[in-house]
Amino acid sequence: MTTSNIPSPDDIGYLAAAVDQARSAREHGNHPFGAVLVTATGRIVRAENTVVTSGDPTGHAETNLVRLAAAQVPDELAGSVLYTSTEPCAMCSGAIFWAGIPTVFYALGGDELIELMPAGSDEFTLGLSAREVFTRGGHPTTVHGPIDLAGAREVHAGFWV
């Protein structure tokens, strides 16, 4: 896990794992989003989007991850890093903030995702960056992204039609 603005090879590897989770979500019939949490002790928690298969509109990869991590590694959240295939939406940013996770890396930017949507799409989008959400919080959250990563855009190819 990096402490500078340049992602380390480990950071890139965890981002790639988040993209793999996004691919898995898509294969399971869900929206292509995935997330990975790495604790300071090296424990790893993974989650994918389950909005379609669970019928839960809050089943985004990051909110699912926060729920799992809060159950599995509750005492390690404050020292963890969250890696996600796509910039967290406002809801997910809120969940990350409330969990006290201090660092987030993401590959595909939210604005880039919106650009992938076809004109006139009825998909819900919210043009509010994760940085803006975190900036308004009462404790610091460091955000790294977008980080150009092979596969982060590709996992969405042909999905949003």
Side-chain angles (χ1 to χ4, degrees):
M1 294 178 289
T2 192
T3 56
S4 75
N5 286 329
I6 300 171
S8 73
D10 285 344
D11 295 322
I12 297 299
Y14 293 129
L15 277 172
V19 171
D20 287 343
Q21 288 295 134
R23 195 170 290 108
S24 175
R26 185 171 179 172
E27 289 168 359
H28 293 130
N30 291 292
H31 301 141
F33 301 102
V36 173
L37 182 110
V38 181
T39 71
T41 62
R43 293 181 68 184
I44 297 172
V45 181
R46 293 175 171 81
E48 62 187 50
N49 181 289
T50 59
V51 167
V52 175
T53 56
S54 70
D56 178 358
T58 68
H60 292 197
E62 299 89 347
T63 56
N64 287 340
L65 183 66
V66 166
R67 288 181 192 116
L68 284 171
Q72 294 178 15
V73 292
D75 297 333
E76 297 188 66
L77 294 175
S80 295
V81 178
L82 190 145
Y83 298 89
T84 184
S85 61
T86 305
E87 182 176 5
C89 70
M91 176 186 68
C92 292
S93 295
I96 293 163
F97 173 82
W98 291 118
I101 298 167
T103 307
V104 175
F105 282 81
Y106 68 88
L108 186 69
D111 57 339
E112 296 173 277
L113 175 64
I114 290 171
E115 289 173 8
L116 294 175
M117 306 270 175
S121 171
D122 64 351
E123 290 294 332
F124 289 155
T125 61
L126 187 59
L128 182 62
S129 75
R131 279 184 179 84
E132 186 173 349
V133 174
F134 293 132
T135 297
R136 295 172 182 264
H139 61 81
T141 304
T142 303
V143 180
H144 302 275
I147 296 171
D148 188 22
L149 185 71
R153 182 177 278 273
E154 173 190 309
V155 73
H156 293 276
F159 185 83
W160 306 104
V161 293

